[in-house]
Amino acid sequence: MFSMKSQNVFRLIGGFLISLLLSTSAIFGQNIKNEYQKIALVLSGGGAQGLAHIGVLKAFEENQIPIDLIVGTSAGALVGGLYSSGISVEHLEMMAKDGTIMKLFLGRNDLSDFPVWQRSEKSSGKFSIRLNNERISGPAGLLNDQLIWRDLFLLTAPATYLAQSNFDSLFIPFRAIGADVVTQKTVVFDSGSLAEAMRISMSIPMVYPAVVKEGAILIDGGIYNNMPTNIARNLGADYIIAINVDDTPPPVEKIRDIFDYFDLFSSVFFSPTDSVSVSDWDYFINVDTDGFNLFDFSAGEALVARGYEAGIIAAKNIEKTLNCRDNIIHKNIRRNHFQHALDDKSIENIQWIDYAKEENISNEFEIMTPFDYSTDKINSIINSLYATNTYDLIIPELSINGNTLKLMVRKKATMQMVPEIKINSVDGFNISGDWDYRLEQNQYSLRSKLGIGNYKSGIEFTFSPNKFISPYAINETHIMWKLNFFGNYQTLESENTNKKIYHFESGFGFSFHRLLTWNQQLVATMNVHATHWINLGDSTLSEYSKTLYPIFNLRYETNHIRKKSPISEGWKFDAGFISGYYDSNTFTGIHGHAAMGTQLNNKYHFCMDVSYKTMTEKAPLEFINQINLPTAYTQTLFIDNFALSSLKATFDITRTFFRDDVFLSVKSYNTYLENRILDVNDGWISGMDVSIKYESILGPIELGLSVFDQSDYEVISWTKLHIYL
């Protein structure tokens, strides 16, 4: 029927098609098996050590190890849940390295999470003592969980919507393990809000608040099941790969600090289901996380590397057992689909729910709908609601159809206090508290900061309304006002006489803020100050110790600083006009300030801070804005350094040192003074700090040396300990 020539052509075509099929199969990683196996990945808990799971996932992807199910507890639920939602391993690795996961776990906001007018008021701490309904209570956990709820929702909302809240329909089927302390049983989450399931599973006792839901008190799943291989087996897994990242606790003789104690206590909590003792697995990977503790989130890069090393070895061995490879192209197509499931979705309604009662409530704030879904918009709405100073917790969730944004809210207590402790070899000991008292119907707040120390003490009261809501609000509020009263006491040393000099400052003022955008404002301030000095003797400056004098300041500020500790990132600029009346003279002047911080590479950061001020007359403003000095000299009063005009510049080069939360910093201080009040030459004053800082979860610990050209380049060492809860 066909000629020999035609048959040869068909053979060639057939051979080509078979070759193409085989090559395509190799590319897709689909080697034919006699019997398909359901492969499950079981991820243990371990706090920050759980970041090592990311490294194992990276190794598995590179070697095309297929995964049909992920079951995770605690940190394993966090990493496994994010991966199951379609977030790439590259994105997870970046989150571990750049501090995103650390910020999420520790509950520490970036400055950009607050509107510009609140950034100078916010303390670093979240641990609060509360008074509500005449009852005093502490927080439910050591760390705040506002960011956890917000960020987990933003990361997983597209996948939850596309899967219709069914965890079997996620990018990879998933189970999160929790524990109900009322029934003392393991709880397996297979549907509902993925963010909520992950949040419950990572509720380490005493560290994060438990989640109370429908009469159950839900906490970290590791309490009853830290390596849930039995759950994977019950779900039909044929081949279970168990990954343990929780290292054994240190022996008693090697316990050095509070974090080692946490490791010890967690091992006691989780001992009934210790990851190493569980045996129902087909392949076991024990990642070496020795040297890291539950809270070493800043060591993300090193932990991912540890997991990758263990994962590469395991993947080579597993390949020999499993006669199958993952379909990389198809996997990436599906991942992209899950990550962009809400791109064209419109939010039609906002539903408000009381968190405690689990009941619908009337609209707290009128937010404009409809609007197109985006993580930036949802993030802005939640941040602006927190900025009203009304809510202690906001939990976002989408309805099944994706058209309604649900906001479960819990209002703040009547009064809250956040404590801070500072111990400084230069400034001495100081303990302070940020108090927040919310008045009737929550319309106004009276905030105060009280600090007591052996060198410095002070008190400040601020009264302002709780009404800021922008953007996406029907009744946008861009105008805010604050009424404040303050008083400060300080002890200093005179360079010339070596005697104690006492400085008292008090006053009151009113500020009017016109918010142009989230990061920009125009501020008009009228303050009345009183400055009084004791032991100045017959110095020319003694005449400046007067009673009340008014100061008016009109200032424009644009602030894009994202964070300040341990190193600044972002930039800001402000400039303004100053006018006042002092000692029968009217003085005027201008001022400007710019700051910038940037990451030069993975290890180095650079920061710069420059300010300029000039006055037409002798004015007391320099008493308020002290000269730019190295740390060890800030307790010394250089009374010949006050001037009518000044240019101040600080430059800081910082390098991560030993590990990601230890920083070596070299900071240069430079001030140029003109028209000094006393009869000395104008010119530059310069100095330098060299310091090593450890940024712990409780606050920074810093050791340094200072050098200053006004003291013949004498070297003085100093220490700082700042604890915020």
Side-chain angles (χ1 to χ4, degrees):
M1 188 172 181
F2 296 104
S3 66
M4 183 66 67
K5 184 176 181 180
S6 298
Q7 291 176 7
N8 289 335
V9 170
F10 278 110
R11 278 197 198 96
L12 288 172
I13 294 173
F16 173 76
L17 291 175
I18 292 172
S19 300
L20 179 64
L21 179 61
L22 291 175
S23 62
T24 304
S25 178
I27 292 172
F28 282 176
Q30 294 177 327
N31 292 332
I32 299 172
K33 293 174 51 180
N34 294 328
E35 183 179 354
Y36 180 75
Q37 288 183 301
K38 184 176 181 179
I39 302 166
L41 210 60
V42 178
L43 310 180
S44 78
Q49 297 159 324
L51 296 177
H53 287 310
I54 299 172
V56 178
L57 291 172
K58 179 180 179 181
F60 277 23
E61 278 208 356
E62 289 180 358
N63 289 273
Q64 296 177 259
I65 303 297
I67 302 170
D68 303 303
L69 171 68
I70 296 179
V71 182
T73 293
S74 193
L78 174 72
V79 174
L82 293 177
Y83 189 71
S84 294
S85 72
I87 294 177
S88 68
V89 72
E90 293 82 11
H91 189 186
L92 288 173
E93 186 176 13
M94 181 185 68
M95 291 170 63
K97 291 180 178 180
D98 67 10
T100 300
I101 291 182
M102 178 177 68
K103 185 187 79 168
L104 183 152
F105 261 97
L106 300 184
R108 299 261 165 83
N109 299 76
D110 286 339
L111 286 180
S112 57
D113 291 332
F114 305 107
V116 60
W117 74 279
Q118 287 187 346
R119 291 176 195 176
S120 62
E121 302 174 350
K122 294 299 178 182
S123 66
S124 300
K126 292 291 185 181
F127 185 99
S128 58
I129 300 170
R130 306 165 186 176
L131 173 64
N132 202 24
N133 297 325
E134 299 182 350
R135 179 181 176 184
I136 297 176
S137 63
L142 177 65
L143 300 177
N144 187 279
D145 60 345
Q146 290 179 356
L147 286 185
I148 300 175
W149 285 108
R150 186 197 71 186
D151 290 357
L152 287 183
F153 168 78
L154 295 175
L155 288 165
T156 62
T160 301
Y161 164 71
L162 188 60
Q164 291 292 281
S165 299
N166 181 356
F167 293 0
D168 284 328
S169 300
L170 291 168
F171 173 66
I172 297 175
F174 174 70
R175 295 294 186 271
I177 307 302
D180 183 356
V181 295
V182 175
T183 62
Q184 299 185 16
K185 293 181 179 179
T186 292
V187 179
V188 181
F189 295 96
D190 59 5
S191 62
S193 166
L194 178 58
E196 181 182 65
M198 295 159 63
R199 165 66 186 86
I200 290 172
S201 186
M202 57 185 283
S203 299
I204 302 173
M206 298 182 295
V207 178
Y208 303 106
V211 177
V212 180
K213 188 171 184 178
E214 297 176 355
I217 301 177
L218 303 170
I219 60 172
D220 193 304
I223 294 293
Y224 302 129
N225 202 340
N226 199 39
M227 182 64 83
T229 53
N230 63 317
I231 304 300
R233 193 71 74 187
N234 292 340
L235 292 170
D238 301 301
Y239 192 89
I240 295 176
I241 304 170
I243 305 174
N244 174 57
V245 296
D246 191 12
D247 67 334
T248 56
V252 175
E253 64 271 14
K254 291 188 177 181
I255 292 180
R256 300 160 303 195
D257 54 32
I258 187 173
F259 307 114
D260 290 331
Y261 277 108
F262 262 111
D263 274 348
L264 180 63
F265 294 153
S266 67
S267 70
V268 175
F269 276 128
F270 302 152
S271 58
T273 57
D274 183 82
S275 303
V276 179
S277 65
V278 174
S279 59
D280 188 18
W281 41 259
D282 297 283
Y283 194 93
F284 185 79
I285 304 173
N286 188 46
V287 181
D288 178 16
T289 57
D290 187 37
F292 300 97
N293 60 60
L294 286 169
F295 300 101
D296 264 337
F297 296 104
S298 61
E301 185 172 2
L303 284 164
V304 171
R306 292 276 186 98
Y308 181 74
E309 292 171 5
I312 285 293
I313 297 172
K316 299 298 183 184
N317 294 327
I318 292 170
E319 276 182 323
K320 300 173 184 177
T321 303
L322 299 176
N323 188 25
C324 60
R325 307 286 298 278
D326 211 355
N327 187 324
I328 299 301
I329 295 177
H330 178 62
K331 187 174 183 178
N332 288 335
I333 292 173
R334 289 187 67 246
R335 174 178 281 134
N336 185 70
H337 186 46
F338 270 86
Q339 285 296 285
H340 297 278
L342 289 170
D343 282 3
D344 299 322
K345 201 65 184 173
S346 175
I347 304 298
E348 306 291 335
N349 303 292
I350 305 289
Q351 182 181 357
W352 297 79
I353 302 171
D354 183 278
Y355 175 77
K357 299 179 180 179
E358 299 182 11
E359 298 176 353
N360 290 344
I361 56 178
S362 59
N363 288 355
E364 299 279 292
F365 293 93
E366 294 288 341
I367 299 173
M368 289 187 293
T369 53
F371 60 86
D372 293 335
Y373 178 92
S374 79
T375 56
D376 288 340
K377 289 180 181 178
I378 302 296
N379 185 63
S380 295
I381 288 172
I382 294 173
N383 286 344
S384 63
L385 289 172
Y386 276 128
T388 64
N389 203 41
T390 302
Y391 302 108
D392 184 59
L393 182 64
I394 301 172
I395 302 175
E397 188 177 316
L398 278 184
S399 60
I400 290 291
N401 61 15
N403 294 332
T404 299
L405 175 64
K406 301 178 181 179
L407 297 175
M408 287 168 277
V409 298
R410 182 178 66 204
K411 289 194 173 182
K412 281 188 172 182
T414 303
M415 184 170 65
Q416 295 192 157
M417 189 273 284
V418 177
E420 290 192 60
I421 301 172
K422 297 179 183 179
I423 303 173
N424 190 327
S425 63
V426 177
D427 294 330
F429 174 82
N430 184 277
I431 182 170
S432 63
D434 288 326
W435 299 80
D436 186 352
Y437 182 77
R438 299 168 66 246
L439 277 66
E440 186 178 0
Q441 297 180 352
N442 307 320
Q443 293 182 359
Y444 299 92
S445 281
L446 178 63
R447 286 179 284 274
S448 66
K449 186 177 184 68
L450 174 63
I452 300 174
N454 54 339
Y455 285 128
K456 295 180 179 180
S457 297
I459 188 168
E460 181 177 353
F461 294 97
T462 302
F463 180 70
S464 64
N466 299 327
K467 64 177 183 179
F468 172 76
I469 175 67
S470 175
Y472 311 116
I474 293 177
N475 299 313
E476 288 186 287
T477 300
H478 287 282
I479 298 175
M480 292 297 298
W481 57 264
K482 293 188 291 184
L483 180 65
N484 67 295
F485 301 85
F486 63 90
N488 297 295
Y489 157 79
Q490 188 175 5
T491 303
L492 306 105
E493 281 186 31
S494 170
E495 179 196 38
N496 300 329
T497 63
N498 293 322
K499 66 180 180 180
K500 297 287 186 182
I501 295 178
Y502 303 97
H503 175 215
F504 298 89
E505 182 185 358
S506 61
F508 60 91
F510 180 83
S511 61
F512 179 86
H513 300 250
R514 176 65 169 90
L515 276 81
L516 306 176
T517 66
W518 186 262
N519 297 310
Q520 297 181 72
Q521 66 174 338
L522 188 65
V523 186
T525 304
M526 174 60 75
N527 287 318
V528 177
H529 287 263
T531 298
H532 186 63
W533 297 79
I534 298 177
N535 278 351
L536 277 177
D538 297 329
S539 167
T540 306
L541 291 181
S542 61
E543 65 179 275
Y544 293 97
S545 183
K546 300 291 183 180
T547 53
L548 297 177
Y549 52 91
I551 303 171
F552 173 76
N553 188 358
L554 181 63
R555 178 171 61 91
Y556 166 79
E557 177 184 0
T558 178
N559 188 327
H560 297 268
I561 298 290
R562 294 183 296 276
K563 65 177 183 178
K564 297 182 81 172
S565 181
I567 41 184
S568 293
E569 289 186 6
W571 62 276
K572 66 174 291 187
F573 170 78
D574 64 83
F577 166 79
I578 307 173
S579 182
Y581 184 80
Y582 180 79
D583 197 23
S584 302
N585 291 316
T586 299
F587 59 85
T588 58
I590 59 173
H591 65 89
H593 175 227
M596 181 270 292
T598 185
Q599 181 171 331
L600 300 178
N601 55 37
N602 290 337
K603 296 293 183 182
Y604 287 91
H605 291 75
F606 172 74
C607 300
M608 177 183 68
D609 194 300
V610 179
S611 63
Y612 174 74
K613 178 169 56 184
T614 183
M615 308 300 299
T616 59
E617 302 287 343
K618 295 178 180 180
L621 291 181
E622 290 294 348
F623 291 130
I624 303 167
N625 300 281
Q626 293 187 358
I627 300 303
N628 202 21
L629 296 175
T631 302
Y633 295 90
T634 55
Q635 262 294 313
T636 303
L637 177 64
F638 296 92
I639 60 176
D640 67 336
N641 290 344
F642 296 107
L644 301 183
S645 299
S646 67
L647 173 65
K648 305 176 187 178
T650 303
F651 304 96
D652 184 8
I653 292 286
T654 302
R655 186 191 190 279
T656 52
F657 194 57
F658 294 125
R659 44 184 286 161
D660 293 342
D661 53 0
V662 179
F663 302 87
L664 177 65
S665 176
V666 178
K667 183 177 291 187
S668 170
Y669 299 85
N670 307 276
T671 303
Y672 186 80
L673 300 169
E674 294 181 306
N675 305 315
R676 293 184 178 179
I677 294 176
L678 296 185
D679 186 18
V680 293
N681 295 326
D682 296 345
W684 285 99
I685 297 173
S686 300
M688 180 179 292
D689 277 348
V690 179
S691 64
I692 294 179
K693 178 187 289 187
Y694 168 53
E695 189 73 15
S696 75
I697 67 167
L698 296 178
I701 303 170
E702 194 168 3
L703 305 174
L705 300 172
S706 293
V707 184
F708 190 51
D709 66 356
Q710 295 285 293
S711 297
D712 297 324
Y713 299 101
E714 179 185 3
V715 177
I716 301 178
S717 62
W718 48 268
T719 59
K720 285 184 179 180
L721 172 62
H722 181 189
I723 299 174
Y724 40 69
L725 299 175

mmCIF file of all heavy atoms in Angstrom, residues 289-311:
data_model
loop_
_atom_site.group_PDB
_atom_site.id
_atom_site.type_symbol
_atom_site.label_atom_id
_atom_site.label_comp_id
_atom_site.label_asym_id
_atom_site.label_seq_id
_atom_site.Cartn_x
_atom_site.Cartn_y
_atom_site.Cartn_z
ATOM 1 N N THR A 289 21.259 21.565 63.607
ATOM 2 C CA THR A 289 21.020 22.965 63.977
ATOM 3 C C THR A 289 21.688 23.308 65.305
ATOM 4 O O THR A 289 21.293 24.263 65.976
ATOM 5 C CB THR A 289 19.505 23.261 64.071
ATOM 6 O OG1 THR A 289 18.906 22.361 65.014
ATOM 7 C CG2 THR A 289 18.836 23.102 62.719
ATOM 8 N N ASP A 290 22.681 22.513 65.670
ATOM 9 C CA ASP A 290 23.406 22.777 66.911
ATOM 10 C C ASP A 290 24.054 24.167 66.846
ATOM 11 O O ASP A 290 24.629 24.559 65.834
ATOM 12 C CB ASP A 290 24.485 21.712 67.116
ATOM 13 C CG ASP A 290 25.149 21.840 68.478
ATOM 14 O OD1 ASP A 290 24.454 22.159 69.451
ATOM 15 O OD2 ASP A 290 26.378 21.631 68.556
ATOM 16 N N GLY A 291 23.948 24.920 67.933
ATOM 17 C CA GLY A 291 24.477 26.286 67.960
ATOM 18 C C GLY A 291 23.426 27.350 67.717
ATOM 19 O O GLY A 291 23.696 28.542 67.882
ATOM 20 N N PHE A 292 22.222 26.921 67.334
ATOM 21 C CA PHE A 292 21.118 27.866 67.117
ATOM 22 C C PHE A 292 19.996 27.545 68.097
ATOM 23 O O PHE A 292 19.775 26.386 68.451
ATOM 24 C CB PHE A 292 20.586 27.774 65.682
ATOM 25 C CG PHE A 292 21.618 28.068 64.641
ATOM 26 C CD1 PHE A 292 22.306 27.043 64.016
ATOM 27 C CD2 PHE A 292 21.914 29.375 64.281
ATOM 28 C CE1 PHE A 292 23.264 27.306 63.059
ATOM 29 C CE2 PHE A 292 22.873 29.649 63.327
ATOM 30 C CZ PHE A 292 23.551 28.614 62.713
ATOM 31 N N ASN A 293 19.274 28.587 68.529
ATOM 32 C CA ASN A 293 18.177 28.367 69.465
ATOM 33 C C ASN A 293 16.839 28.727 68.834
ATOM 34 O O ASN A 293 16.767 29.120 67.662
ATOM 35 C CB ASN A 293 18.398 29.150 70.765
ATOM 36 C CG ASN A 293 18.493 30.655 70.523
ATOM 37 O OD1 ASN A 293 17.562 31.277 70.016
ATOM 38 N ND2 ASN A 293 19.635 31.246 70.868
ATOM 39 N N LEU A 294 15.789 28.588 69.613
ATOM 40 C CA LEU A 294 14.425 28.804 69.127
ATOM 41 C C LEU A 294 14.207 30.183 68.526
ATOM 42 O O LEU A 294 13.326 30.362 67.678
ATOM 43 C CB LEU A 294 13.424 28.610 70.282
ATOM 44 C CG LEU A 294 13.150 27.183 70.752
ATOM 45 C CD1 LEU A 294 12.362 27.219 72.037
ATOM 46 C CD2 LEU A 294 12.413 26.407 69.686
ATOM 47 N N PHE A 295 15.006 31.186 68.964
ATOM 48 C CA PHE A 295 14.746 32.562 68.554
ATOM 49 C C PHE A 295 15.847 33.132 67.651
ATOM 50 O O PHE A 295 15.931 34.344 67.477
ATOM 51 C CB PHE A 295 14.584 33.446 69.795
ATOM 52 C CG PHE A 295 13.450 33.009 70.673
ATOM 53 C CD1 PHE A 295 13.686 32.279 71.824
ATOM 54 C CD2 PHE A 295 12.145 33.305 70.333
ATOM 55 C CE1 PHE A 295 12.642 31.869 72.636
ATOM 56 C CE2 PHE A 295 11.095 32.894 71.132
ATOM 57 C CZ PHE A 295 11.331 32.170 72.281
ATOM 58 N N ASP A 296 16.652 32.286 67.068
ATOM 59 C CA ASP A 296 17.734 32.745 66.193
ATOM 60 C C ASP A 296 17.231 33.038 64.784
ATOM 61 O O ASP A 296 17.804 32.570 63.796
ATOM 62 C CB ASP A 296 18.849 31.703 66.135
ATOM 63 C CG ASP A 296 19.964 31.996 67.117
ATOM 64 O OD1 ASP A 296 20.104 33.161 67.512
ATOM 65 O OD2 ASP A 296 20.678 31.065 67.503
ATOM 66 N N PHE A 297 16.187 33.845 64.666
ATOM 67 C CA PHE A 297 15.621 34.136 63.351
ATOM 68 C C PHE A 297 16.567 34.967 62.490
ATOM 69 O O PHE A 297 16.507 34.918 61.267
ATOM 70 C CB PHE A 297 14.285 34.873 63.506
ATOM 71 C CG PHE A 297 13.234 34.051 64.175
ATOM 72 C CD1 PHE A 297 12.881 34.278 65.494
ATOM 73 C CD2 PHE A 297 12.603 33.031 63.498
ATOM 74 C CE1 PHE A 297 11.920 33.506 66.122
ATOM 75 C CE2 PHE A 297 11.639 32.248 64.112
ATOM 76 C CZ PHE A 297 11.301 32.492 65.434
ATOM 77 N N SER A 298 17.437 35.731 63.126
ATOM 78 C CA SER A 298 18.380 36.537 62.357
ATOM 79 C C SER A 298 19.428 35.674 61.662
ATOM 80 O O SER A 298 20.125 36.145 60.770
ATOM 81 C CB SER A 298 19.067 37.557 63.263
ATOM 82 O OG SER A 298 19.787 36.892 64.278
ATOM 83 N N ALA A 299 19.550 34.415 62.068
ATOM 84 C CA ALA A 299 20.514 33.511 61.446
ATOM 85 C C ALA A 299 19.876 32.717 60.312
ATOM 86 O O ALA A 299 20.244 31.573 60.051
ATOM 87 C CB ALA A 299 21.087 32.561 62.499
ATOM 88 N N GLY A 300 18.930 33.342 59.625
ATOM 89 C CA GLY A 300 18.187 32.647 58.578
ATOM 90 C C GLY A 300 19.055 32.075 57.483
ATOM 91 O O GLY A 300 18.869 30.928 57.042
ATOM 92 N N GLU A 301 20.033 32.840 57.017
ATOM 93 C CA GLU A 301 20.890 32.383 55.919
ATOM 94 C C GLU A 301 21.670 31.135 56.317
ATOM 95 O O GLU A 301 21.779 30.171 55.546
ATOM 96 C CB GLU A 301 21.847 33.502 55.509
ATOM 97 C CG GLU A 301 22.702 33.172 54.300
ATOM 98 C CD GLU A 301 23.501 34.355 53.802
ATOM 99 O OE1 GLU A 301 23.423 35.442 54.426
ATOM 100 O OE2 GLU A 301 24.198 34.207 52.785
ATOM 101 N N ALA A 302 22.220 31.136 57.533
ATOM 102 C CA ALA A 302 23.001 29.992 58.000
ATOM 103 C C ALA A 302 22.116 28.763 58.187
ATOM 104 O O ALA A 302 22.525 27.633 57.864
ATOM 105 C CB ALA A 302 23.703 30.345 59.307
ATOM 106 N N LEU A 303 20.902 28.953 58.702
ATOM 107 C CA LEU A 303 20.000 27.824 58.924
ATOM 108 C C LEU A 303 19.531 27.227 57.603
ATOM 109 O O LEU A 303 19.423 26.002 57.468
ATOM 110 C CB LEU A 303 18.813 28.270 59.775
ATOM 111 C CG LEU A 303 19.116 28.452 61.265
ATOM 112 C CD1 LEU A 303 18.032 29.265 61.954
ATOM 113 C CD2 LEU A 303 19.282 27.091 61.944
ATOM 114 N N VAL A 304 19.235 28.069 56.623
ATOM 115 C CA VAL A 304 18.861 27.564 55.300
ATOM 116 C C VAL A 304 20.015 26.748 54.711
ATOM 117 O O VAL A 304 19.801 25.687 54.110
ATOM 118 C CB VAL A 304 18.473 28.727 54.363
ATOM 119 C CG1 VAL A 304 18.301 28.231 52.928
ATOM 120 C CG2 VAL A 304 17.184 29.391 54.824
ATOM 121 N N ALA A 305 21.229 27.226 54.896
ATOM 122 C CA ALA A 305 22.402 26.509 54.385
ATOM 123 C C ALA A 305 22.544 25.141 55.052
ATOM 124 O O ALA A 305 22.874 24.140 54.390
ATOM 125 C CB ALA A 305 23.659 27.347 54.602
ATOM 126 N N ARG A 306 22.277 25.073 56.375
ATOM 127 C CA ARG A 306 22.343 23.787 57.078
ATOM 128 C C ARG A 306 21.312 22.804 56.491
ATOM 129 O O ARG A 306 21.608 21.629 56.273
ATOM 130 C CB ARG A 306 22.066 23.987 58.566
ATOM 131 C CG ARG A 306 23.147 24.747 59.320
ATOM 132 C CD ARG A 306 24.279 23.847 59.764
ATOM 133 N NE ARG A 306 25.225 24.569 60.603
ATOM 134 C CZ ARG A 306 25.234 24.537 61.934
ATOM 135 N NH1 ARG A 306 24.341 23.799 62.574
ATOM 136 N NH2 ARG A 306 26.125 25.219 62.619
ATOM 137 N N GLY A 307 20.111 23.310 56.267
ATOM 138 C CA GLY A 307 19.071 22.459 55.694
ATOM 139 C C GLY A 307 19.405 22.003 54.287
ATOM 140 O O GLY A 307 19.136 20.850 53.902
ATOM 141 N N TYR A 308 20.020 22.893 53.509
ATOM 142 C CA TYR A 308 20.380 22.555 52.125
ATOM 143 C C TYR A 308 21.437 21.453 52.097
ATOM 144 O O TYR A 308 21.352 20.516 51.281
ATOM 145 C CB TYR A 308 20.889 23.804 51.420
ATOM 146 C CG TYR A 308 21.270 23.587 49.973
ATOM 147 C CD1 TYR A 308 20.290 23.421 48.987
ATOM 148 C CD2 TYR A 308 22.605 23.537 49.595
ATOM 149 C CE1 TYR A 308 20.640 23.209 47.659
ATOM 150 C CE2 TYR A 308 22.968 23.331 48.266
ATOM 151 C CZ TYR A 308 21.978 23.172 47.306
ATOM 152 O OH TYR A 308 22.330 22.968 45.999
ATOM 153 N N GLU A 309 22.412 21.548 52.969
ATOM 154 C CA GLU A 309 23.458 20.518 53.024
ATOM 155 C C GLU A 309 22.853 19.150 53.324
ATOM 156 O O GLU A 309 23.188 18.145 52.674
ATOM 157 C CB GLU A 309 24.487 20.878 54.093
ATOM 158 C CG GLU A 309 25.333 22.095 53.771
ATOM 159 C CD GLU A 309 26.187 22.535 54.949
ATOM 160 O OE1 GLU A 309 26.186 21.821 55.979
ATOM 161 O OE2 GLU A 309 26.835 23.588 54.853
ATOM 162 N N ALA A 310 21.963 19.097 54.327
ATOM 163 C CA ALA A 310 21.321 17.829 54.671
ATOM 164 C C ALA A 310 20.395 17.365 53.554
ATOM 165 O O ALA A 310 20.292 16.158 53.273
ATOM 166 C CB ALA A 310 20.553 17.977 55.980
ATOM 167 N N GLY A 311 19.712 18.314 52.912
ATOM 168 C CA GLY A 311 18.768 17.972 51.854
ATOM 169 C C GLY A 311 19.430 17.401 50.622
ATOM 170 O O GLY A 311 18.900 16.482 49.979
#
